[in-house]
Each structure stands twice: as structure tokens, then as C-alpha cells.
Amino acid sequence: MCGGGPAPGMNSVISAATIEARNSGWDVLGIMDGFEHLIEGRIEEARPLSITDVSRIHVQGGSIIRTSRANPTVRDEDAADPDWRLHACLESLQKLGIGALVTIGGDDTAFSASRLAEAAGGGLRVAHVPKTIDNDLPLPGGTPTFGFETARSVGVQLVNNLMTDAITTQRWYLVVAMGRSAGHLALGIGKSAGATLTVIAEEFPRDEPIRLSRLVDVLETSMLKRIAHGRPFGVAVLAEGIGLRLPQDELAKAMPEVERDEHGHVRLAELELDRLLAKQVKDRFKERGQNVTVEGKNIGYELRCAPPIPFDIEYTRDLGYGAVDYLKRLLEGGEPGGMITIQEGHMVPLPFGSFSDPETGRVRIRLVNVESSSYRVAREYMIRLDREDLEDPERLRPIAEASGLTPKAFRDRYGYLAEG
């Protein structure tokens, strides 16, 4: 069963798990549309899977059993049984005669899988295969989640095309990449494509909101620095999670026409971060009587169902086989289930609970480590305003001229960006 958004390699997991289970003498069912039908008791939506059904799907994107975001752990406090969704799922699985379940999904699906295994009290063994193009699950040793490498590869191709267009037409593109909780995908795309700069939420203090004005300052000064170098074009890549940390008062001022919820907050679905920032940056230049072409682009859906690259195919075949191998051992006795990982070429299951936040019970989020050497290298190759630009008069003068300010006025206005 698959849960959450698509990721390249899902079919490869389904294929490998089905083949190994069938070769072990097990019957295999593909549960359609995640937890959706199980919650509603529609067990007829499960279909038998044979080796013939899955023999060549490992090279295909998407999922032959589809996926959904239906969540059996959502509680209904007004119901006689607040956990009726969870119990309905278990009842459906029991009716189907399922004793071992492979779940394929991200942090929400991992949490649902652990709750199902716990609630079953030994009647169901669960192997969870972690996937997300966001790469934000805490796999040991920095191992990527499957789908990330393919999504990055496709994203790099798109950004390279945009960079060629930017050079050809002397314009700017602001590209927002998926990653609500962490900036791995945006940074991976930006660094690999040699984007002009990449901005992720992790580079800002975690206990403070990200001011829209500061974000625009970062983009504007990078553009001014490029202009000073005689290269008035570029591509900036931003992580979509930045939008979650923008303060509502600034969003209300910047987007007065956008639909809001009952609390007056801008709906995240309505927040087109790429277009919002493009307008803000263009307005900055327009105020100085300068014209720049800035286009916003959002990439994400183009990446999720791409055919997996060889790395993800090999990786997911290991994971699918490992899930069934783990379930065989679980059925002999032991813990109710866990998450499958590959460490130094070996399948290593992590028991449910070992990768969760003890306070929330949810799977811990793996953030970009902005203190790492890898991130430092990424920053070194970005075009961003830095301390040397402000301290060297020969470097500062042309940047200040591009902004229409004196060097002192420029330093007073934008110098805070180079602090720390």
C-alpha cells in the first residue's frame, strides 16, 4: 500500500516486494488508493498481484496501485470511538486476511503504519518503506530517501533549461521547489545545476519568522551583484517551506486579494511563493526606475512521477526485497514492525518508535545541516551579498551604483544580510 504524494521508485518497491513474496509462497494483494478504502470498509478495492503483473513496472514512474493522503490516525473527538478510522482499517485488513503489510510512504504514512501495528496487538506485522522526494526522513548515515535522487536529477534538467533561457533573454527566474519541512531538494537542485543562488528555510533562525522583506533583500542584492558583474540574469531556487514561515501580517499586506481562512490567514494553497517574490522584486527595481524581467516558476509535480533513475531503481529493489525478508522474520516473533533502511549495503530495520520524536510520537524531520561542509560548499558557489563585498571598496562601489545608492547608504541598508 502507498500513502502520501508520489515518488519515483514506488513501482519498483511494489515489484520487488511482490516477486519476493510470491517466490516465498505468499499471496499478494495491492491495496488501491492508500488507506482511503480501508477506512470506509471497501475491501473489494484490493487486487491480487502476480509476478506477471509487476515484472516490468520497476522502470515506470507513479504507482500501479495509486496513492492517497487518507489518514487513519486522524481522531474524531465527537465520535463514540475517536479512533474509529484506525479500527476500521484494522477490521478491513482482517477481513482481507492480511497478516503482513508493506507500507510505502513518508512521515505521515510511517506514523500510521506504526499506529496500525501497535493497535493490532500482534495480529499484523508491518514493514514500512520510507519514500519522499523531500529527503526529510531521518535515515541513518545521511542515506537519501528513495525518489529524491530522481527528483533532483529531473529538477536539475529543468533549472539548466531555465538558466539557458535566462542567459539568452537576459532575465531572472525564481524557482520554488518542493520541500515543506526541509530544503534538501531545493539545495540539491540548486547546487547541482549551478543556480545563481538557493534559499532554504534552515538558513534563517528557527525560532523567528522569515520576514518577507528580508527574503526580497536577499534576492535583490544577488541580482544587483550580478548586474555589477555585467551579468543581469540568473536563476534563484527557493524551498517551498519558506512560505510556511512568512508572517501573516506581511502576507496580508503583500497579497490583499488572496482568499483567507476563517482566522484571516492566507491559505497555503493560495500562496504562490514564486509569483509573490517575483512581483516584490520587480517592484523594488521599478521604484528605482529600472526594468527587469523576473518570472516565477514552481516545480514539484513534474518531479514526483518521473521514471526512476538507475540509482533509485536499484535502491528500491533492495528496499522491496528487504521489506518482505523482514516480514518473514517478524512472523516468527518479535516486534510488531519497523522501517526498512539500507546501511552500507545491508538491510537494517529500525523498530517503530526508534526514529520518532518522543514528545510528539511523529517521525523526526531531517533538516539541512547548514553547519556542514556540503552546505558551505553550496554557499561558496552562490552569488550572494557577503561581508567581503561590504568591506572591499572596489567590490562595493559597482554594486552600490547598480542600486542607485552611495556605498555608505548601500552598506547601511543591506549590510545586515552579511552579519553572522
Side-chain angles (χ1 to χ4, degrees):
M1 186 192 65
C2 301
M10 295 170 80
N11 275 331
S12 183
V13 177
I14 294 167
S15 173
T18 298
I19 292 170
E20 174 57 18
R22 283 286 184 178
N23 285 339
S24 301
W26 292 6
D27 291 330
V28 181
L29 291 176
I31 299 173
M32 305 299 292
D33 305 307
F35 290 107
E36 181 179 331
H37 305 302
L38 297 179
I39 292 173
E40 297 174 5
R42 294 201 297 269
I43 60 174
E44 67 276 7
E45 297 296 336
R47 52 176 277 199
L49 292 178
S50 67
I51 291 178
T52 302
D53 292 328
V54 302
S55 65
R56 295 300 303 168
I57 67 171
H58 62 280
V59 297
Q60 301 172 13
S63 164
I64 63 167
I65 55 175
R66 303 193 296 262
T67 185
S68 80
R69 295 191 181 277
N71 187 344
T73 68
V74 173
R75 290 174 58 84
D76 186 353
E77 300 296 346
D78 294 330
D81 176 9
D83 292 316
W84 66 268
R85 292 179 178 84
L86 190 68
H87 297 144
C89 263
L90 283 175
E91 184 176 345
S92 294
L93 291 170
Q94 289 166 358
K95 288 179 180 178
L96 288 167
I98 292 175
L101 178 67
V102 176
T103 58
I104 306 167
D107 56 343
D108 284 335
T109 306
F111 180 70
S112 296
S114 66
R115 288 292 311 279
L116 272 174
E118 178 186 10
L124 177 71
R125 306 298 182 179
V126 183
H128 179 71
V129 179
K131 68 99 185 109
T132 170
I133 65 171
D134 294 350
N135 197 30
D136 59 1
L137 296 180
L139 302 188
T143 304
T145 52
F146 87 73
F148 168 75
E149 293 292 358
T150 298
R152 176 168 67 165
S153 178
V154 176
V156 166
Q157 294 176 40
L158 294 174
V159 170
N160 282 338
N161 291 345
L162 291 173
M163 181 61 83
T164 301
D165 191 277
I167 295 169
T168 303
T169 61
Q170 302 284 279
R171 66 176 61 191
W172 276 82
Y173 285 99
L174 304 185
V175 179
V176 173
M178 281 187 169
R180 291 173 66 86
S181 301
H184 297 284
L185 185 59
L187 187 66
I189 290 173
K191 186 178 180 182
S192 300
T196 311
L197 73 156
T198 302
V199 187
I200 59 175
E202 288 94 326
E203 66 184 75
F204 300 94
R206 292 185 63 183
D207 56 350
E208 300 175 11
I210 300 173
R211 306 304 301 188
L212 180 59
S213 55
R214 176 169 185 157
L215 195 54
V216 177
D217 283 350
V218 170
L219 297 169
E220 181 190 14
T221 52
S222 292
M223 295 171 68
L224 291 170
K225 189 170 177 178
R226 290 279 285 181
I227 291 170
H229 292 168
R231 298 170 68 80
F233 57 84
V235 176
V237 181
L238 303 101
E240 69 171 345
I242 290 172
L244 297 173
R245 295 191 41 201
L246 295 175
Q248 287 290 325
D249 59 340
E250 290 197 6
L251 289 177
K253 183 177 179 181
M255 308 174 68
E257 74 288 351
V258 173
E259 181 182 351
R260 288 168 168 71
D261 63 19
E262 61 272 18
H263 303 290
H265 296 158
V266 172
R267 296 183 185 276
L268 288 178
E270 301 291 325
L271 178 58
E272 296 180 318
L273 184 62
D274 54 321
R275 298 185 184 279
L276 169 64
L277 292 174
K279 181 180 184 305
Q280 293 280 311
V281 171
K282 283 190 286 188
D283 288 347
R284 290 277 187 90
F285 280 85
K286 191 179 298 182
E287 289 171 3
R288 292 194 293 266
Q290 300 169 319
N291 288 323
V292 295
T293 301
V294 186
E295 300 290 345
K297 297 289 292 182
N298 191 303
I299 60 174
Y301 295 115
E302 301 91 335
L303 316 180
R304 302 192 309 175
C305 279
I309 62 174
F311 175 92
D312 275 323
I313 293 176
E314 179 183 11
Y315 183 18
T316 48
R317 294 205 113 178
D318 289 348
L319 290 170
Y321 175 94
V324 174
D325 186 60
Y326 176 53
L327 288 171
K328 290 179 189 176
R329 285 184 275 149
L330 290 182
L331 290 172
E332 295 174 358
E335 67 265 13
M339 183 166 72
I340 307 302
T341 69
I342 304 296
Q343 301 179 36
E344 298 182 352
H346 299 282
M347 192 276 289
V348 181
L350 301 179
F352 286 133
S354 64
F355 48 87
S356 301
D357 185 327
E359 293 185 5
T360 64
R362 314 291 296 190
V363 176
R364 292 190 301 273
I365 298 298
R366 177 168 65 188
L367 301 174
V368 172
N369 179 7
V370 294
E371 302 298 327
S372 67
S373 297
S374 179
Y375 181 75
R376 185 171 68 250
V377 171
R379 285 294 293 254
E380 286 293 327
Y381 288 92
M382 296 181 198
I383 305 298
R384 296 175 72 148
L385 187 70
D386 55 38
R387 184 172 296 173
E388 288 76 12
D389 294 322
L390 301 173
E391 294 176 347
D392 185 342
E394 294 304 313
R395 294 173 62 163
L396 176 58
R397 186 178 301 110
I399 302 173
E401 288 176 357
S403 71
L405 298 173
T406 66
K408 181 181 184 305
F410 183 91
R411 189 186 297 110
D412 292 342
R413 168 67 178 81
Y414 297 106
Y416 79 99
L417 294 175
E419 294 175 356

